[in-house]
Amino acid sequence: MFSQTAEYALRATAALAERESAVTAAELARLTDVPPPYLFKIMAQLTRAGLVTAQRGKYGGYLLNSPPSAVTLLDVINAVDPIPRIHHCPLGKPEHELALCPLHRQLDAAYAQIEQTLRAQTLADVT
């Protein structure tokens, strides 16, 4: 259901949540079993989203910007690969113009439930 990018982002942020000091990219790749080039891309997305900070220098590395209890799993997933929501019926039928058809209404309800579950769980809950 979740993309490889979302899975890797969750692994990376969970690993950061378990540490109090900066974690180098090489160490983070080893801890999470994420290929380093892919990890760099994901960490850049998490940095742009404001969830992590990248520090340079001898004691540099990645750090969470907030306590693990303040970062939801939904925050992490939305930073790298948001859960799709259905706002318009993709079938394009005129009778579905004002409201989703029953099929897409049910699918969107499932996506909403997934979002609710992920919003209720923080990194502190899973580390």
Side-chain angles (χ1 to χ4, degrees):
M1 166 109 205
F2 297 106
S3 69
Q4 190 70 60
T5 300
E7 166 72 22
Y8 286 170
L10 289 168
R11 286 187 204 176
T13 53
L16 292 177
E18 294 176 328
R19 283 150 185 82
E20 295 191 18
S21 59
V23 180
T24 66
E27 179 69 2
L28 194 55
R30 187 189 67 73
L31 290 169
T32 60
D33 198 29
V34 176
Y38 204 168
L39 181 65
F40 289 130
K41 174 186 163 198
I42 291 166
M43 297 312 291
Q45 290 175 290
L46 293 170
T47 300
R48 278 192 301 276
L51 295 177
V52 301
T53 299
Q55 294 181 343
R56 294 181 180 216
K58 183 176 180 181
Y59 300 105
Y62 294 102
L63 288 164
L64 285 177
N65 277 339
S66 301
S69 61
V71 180
T72 69
L73 301 186
L74 185 62
D75 293 333
V76 176
I77 291 174
N78 279 341
V80 297
D81 191 18
I83 295 171
R85 294 300 301 267
I86 304 171
H87 301 287
H88 304 287
C89 184
L91 297 175
K93 293 182 178 182
E95 61 268 26
H96 299 165
E97 199 169 298
L98 298 177
L100 292 175
C101 67
L103 169 65
H104 291 103
R105 189 171 37 250
Q106 287 299 317
L107 290 175
D108 190 59
Y111 288 140
Q113 182 62 47
I114 292 167
E115 281 186 342
Q116 181 180 348
T117 299
L118 295 171
R119 188 178 291 113
Q121 296 294 306
T122 68
L123 291 174
D125 296 327
V126 298
T127 56

